[in-house]
Amino acid sequence: MGLTMSWSSVLKGLLAVCIFTHLSVSSVESYSCKNEECYNNRCNPIPRTCESSKGCFHLEQKFEAPKGTISGGFASQPASLRLEKKGCSKDECTELAFSATMGNRQMFRYEQRCCYSEQCNNESKRVPPPSSQPNGVECPACYSNNGTCNTVSLKCTGAETECIEVIGRDFISRSVIQGMGCATETACSLRNMTVMEHVKIDTYCFSSSPPLRPISSVLTSLFLMRALL
């Protein structure tokens, strides 16, 4: 009798856990997000939606340079590249905004915003242009895809108060990109991050003096990685 009651209690407990789990999963709110991709303001012909319970995102990336000077992984491209994506987060949505200005005045801006309600990413909110007000910081700057990055001094502006080194690899052109310049603090210590859909970057911030780690050794490693692809 005691054993029968014990098993009965166990089964009731398991049933209660199952019901609670089902109710918890069912109570997770889902909503639709706008799902769209635009390249230089040319968007998908038919806007779509997707369902999410982890957030809608709106990602905008912009790469700018004086006319005719874009090089490296962006060779033979217009002087301004803009990529805008909206959709559903597969994992928990993470907001991130940063900007960097490198040699030859090549500028990159990145901003991802998250929201959590029906069609909340529907509106387009352009990333505001960076401030041109000098902030007193001066950094070595260069931009190259040929392994030689000859630095010049660059006066930083606005919120770009960090000196940065960027090492990137373009999976389409298979070129290695090297840059130095000014950046926001949020651009520091990015690892294996994909930008503009096909470029993987690592970033390192340092004081106004160049980093002690030789850039050439990093490039050598990246060339070896490229050779193994």
Side-chain angles (χ1 to χ4, degrees), residues 158-190:
E160 295 182 355
T161 58
E162 303 290 329
C163 295
I164 197 168
E165 173 192 357
V166 181
I167 301 295
R169 197 154 46 103
D170 188 310
F171 287 98
I172 294 180
S173 68
R174 298 175 69 86
S175 61
V176 175
I177 303 165
Q178 177 185 5
M180 296 178 71
C182 308
T184 58
E185 186 177 355
T186 48
C188 297
S189 303
L190 301 176

Side-chain angles (χ1 to χ4, degrees), residues 19 51 61 72 74 76 128 149 170 189 193 217:
I19 293 173
E51 291 293 322
Q61 301 177 72
F74 308 101
S76 304
C149 209
D170 188 310
S189 303
M193 180 176 178
S217 65

Side-chain angles (χ1 to χ4, degrees), residues 21-41:
T21 303
H22 174 74
L23 290 175
S24 297
V25 172
S26 300
S27 65
V28 174
E29 181 185 5
S30 64
Y31 35 82
S32 67
C33 307
K34 187 171 184 178
N35 189 19
E36 182 180 61
E37 183 171 332
C38 304
Y39 179 76
N40 279 356
N41 297 319

Side-chain angles (χ1 to χ4, degrees), residues 99-186:
S99 68
T101 304
M102 295 169 285
N104 297 327
R105 304 300 301 179
Q106 310 225 28
M107 296 178 286
F108 180 69
R109 289 181 285 156
Y110 179 106
E111 182 169 349
Q112 175 162 291
R113 297 183 292 274
C114 304
C115 57
Y116 306 90
S117 60
E118 185 74 17
Q119 291 283 307
C120 58
N121 66 339
N122 190 38
E123 294 183 7
S124 290
K125 297 179 180 180
R126 297 295 178 86
V127 176
S131 169
S132 59
Q133 184 68 31
N135 57 31
V137 178
E138 203 165 315
C139 299
C142 65
Y143 189 86
S144 169
N145 71 325
N146 60 15
T148 302
C149 209
N150 299 315
T151 61
V152 296
S153 182
L154 177 65
K155 295 182 184 297
C156 302
T157 59
E160 295 182 355
T161 58
E162 303 290 329
C163 295
I164 197 168
E165 173 192 357
V166 181
I167 301 295
R169 197 154 46 103
D170 188 310
F171 287 98
I172 294 180
S173 68
R174 298 175 69 86
S175 61
V176 175
I177 303 165
Q178 177 185 5
M180 296 178 71
C182 308
T184 58
E185 186 177 355
T186 48

Side-chain angles (χ1 to χ4, degrees), residues 2-14:
L3 182 60
T4 301
M5 291 183 64
S6 177
W7 274 109
S8 177
S9 299
V10 170
L11 290 173
K12 287 180 180 178
L14 289 173

